Amino acid sequence: MPKDWDDERVKINEIVKRYYPRELLPSEGASALDGESVRALLRRFVDEANGDLDRLGDERRLYLLEDIQIDEPRFQSRNDISGEAVETYAQNYENGADMPPVDIALLDDGRLYLIDGFHRCRARMRMGAAWGFIDAVLHKNLSEADARFFSIKENMKNGLPLRSRRDREKAFAIYVETGRCRYPNGMLKSYREIAEELTFLGKDTARRYMSSLFPEIARQLSNRYGEPEAGPLEDSSSKTERPEKSAAPALLKSLKRTGERAAAIATDESALLYERQLLALLNASRARWRRGVIETADYEGIPGKD
């Protein structure tokens, strides 16, 4: 964000206030206008406002949302949109707060694509047709691969963190699919170099993702750098749930003798469930590191299932 962002943002807000059609204000009965009338007024407004921005030498322009292609599967670096973030951003827009412009790219098919700012665009859409515009920075010389990776770079700098594993996997997949895991000469980067670029994961996680999602590239990395291949990632849809909070942990911790612990597990359903969940978590960890699974019969106190 430029140092003079606040001053520049005032110009954008002033331009919007100067040119926004009074006919679209709620106090002027905007709800009675049909869709075509709203669209025509917004196009005139956008053209007039962009004339001022052009004279100011500002890189930003106003665009109608309907002119921007929102292709989340291709260009969004995460799987899911945060409803909470959308709600917060919508409130910010409605209150006239400073919001950074989104980024769009003009690709080879001649259409404009959103490449960063998906939550901001959703927030603008929530505000209704009369506010169906947004300020954006246009990138004209990006390839599709550059455009796909753009959102990941921006998220690593100042976007919402990629908290879920599904989001991190998707971002990692885009990184590999767009060729960022290779140098310009085609040579593969090491897992250490990949992790330095993708700051949301470590070297070992990068190895596991590569082995699971791109096994052929993982084999090439193993041959080139002697990097061991990792076991496959477990299916996130069947991920083991952590034990729910209950009195069972305190109960079991207080029982020092194996016989007393086994008796408590055999007679207390919550203690039995808790201990089975702990065993499942332990086995998930052992499987990830290719260690043998512990059978129920080998685990202290847990009777076999009926």
Side-chain angles (χ1 to χ4, degrees):
M1 189 177 293
K3 292 180 181 178
D4 58 348
W5 171 257
D6 290 337
D7 293 338
E8 291 296 314
R9 190 67 203 178
V10 168
K11 292 176 184 176
I12 283 278
N13 287 336
E14 288 179 351
I15 287 169
V16 169
K17 291 176 182 177
R18 183 183 309 160
Y19 292 110
Y20 188 77
R22 289 188 58 82
E23 302 96 317
L24 295 181
L25 295 174
S27 59
E28 300 294 326
S31 58
L33 295 172
D34 60 52
E36 194 55 44
S37 298
V38 171
R39 195 173 294 114
L41 287 168
L42 284 179
R43 286 202 181 280
R44 187 189 71 191
F45 152 68
V46 164
D47 289 342
E48 291 174 346
N50 284 339
D52 253 8
L53 288 169
D54 188 48
R55 285 188 289 274
L56 289 168
D58 198 301
E59 66 174 346
R60 292 164 295 172
R61 296 291 184 275
L62 300 185
Y63 294 87
L64 295 190
L65 291 173
E66 67 178 36
D67 293 337
I68 301 173
Q69 309 300 313
I70 302 179
D71 188 343
E72 291 182 7
R74 260 204 301 174
F75 298 105
Q76 164 70 304
S77 61
R78 64 185 75 245
N79 286 282
D80 303 308
I81 291 288
S82 167
E84 182 180 355
V86 171
E87 181 69 27
T88 299
Y89 292 171
Q91 287 293 324
N92 288 346
Y93 279 122
E94 290 170 2
N95 295 333
D98 291 342
M99 293 291 285
V102 301
D103 292 274
I104 59 177
L106 179 63
L107 297 186
D108 290 342
D109 62 4
R111 297 197 287 179
L112 298 172
Y113 287 87
L114 181 66
I115 57 174
D116 187 58
F118 289 86
H119 287 87
R120 279 164 276 163
C121 270
R122 287 283 189 95
R124 293 296 294 186
M125 291 174 181
R126 275 188 83 264
M127 296 172 66
W131 299 95
F133 65 92
I134 197 165
D135 57 316
V137 174
L138 174 63
H139 303 266
K140 293 183 178 179
N141 300 313
L142 294 183
S143 66
E144 182 175 336
D146 291 335
R148 292 188 69 198
F149 189 61
F150 187 93
S151 179
I152 297 174
K153 290 193 300 182
E154 292 304 301
N155 268 283
M156 286 191 293
K157 286 192 293 184
N158 51 26
L160 291 173
L162 298 172
R163 290 193 178 93
S164 77
R165 200 191 75 187
R166 289 179 65 242
D167 285 347
R168 292 193 293 270
E169 284 180 8
K170 181 177 181 181
F172 181 84
I174 291 174
Y175 174 83
V176 175
E177 290 166 0
T178 56
R180 266 50 186 186
C181 63
R182 297 179 183 274
Y183 290 108
N185 64 4
M187 183 187 302
L188 283 165
K189 299 173 184 176
S190 69
Y191 289 123
R192 177 184 58 78
E193 292 168 316
I194 290 172
E196 287 175 354
E197 293 182 353
L198 296 180
T199 56
F200 55 86
L201 50 73
K203 185 178 82 168
D204 291 339
T205 304
R207 180 187 293 113
R208 291 199 297 274
Y209 284 6
M210 190 72 82
S211 295
S212 178
L213 303 174
F214 303 95
E216 180 54 39
I217 295 178
R219 282 191 285 274
Q220 294 174 29
L221 277 166
S222 179
N223 292 335
R224 177 168 183 79
Y225 294 104
E227 297 273 15
E229 295 179 50
L233 296 168
E234 68 271 17
D235 181 3
S236 58
S237 64
S238 60
K239 188 175 180 180
T240 305
E241 296 291 335
R242 291 195 173 275
E244 294 183 4
K245 290 184 177 180
S246 71
L251 169 66
L252 295 176
K253 189 175 181 180
S254 68
L255 301 175
K256 304 299 183 184
R257 297 181 181 178
T258 301
E260 293 176 342
R261 185 182 179 91
I265 293 170
T267 57
D268 188 314
E269 188 173 344
S270 63
L272 174 60
L273 176 61
Y274 182 83
E275 203 76 349
R276 279 182 172 159
Q277 289 172 321
L278 285 181
L279 176 59
L281 284 170
L282 176 61
N283 278 334
S285 175
R286 292 178 67 88
R288 191 176 300 124
W289 296 103
R290 297 183 177 182
R291 299 178 66 184
V293 171
I294 300 174
E295 298 294 337
T296 299
D298 299 326
Y299 192 78
E300 287 182 352
I302 299 185
K305 291 185 180 180
D306 295 335

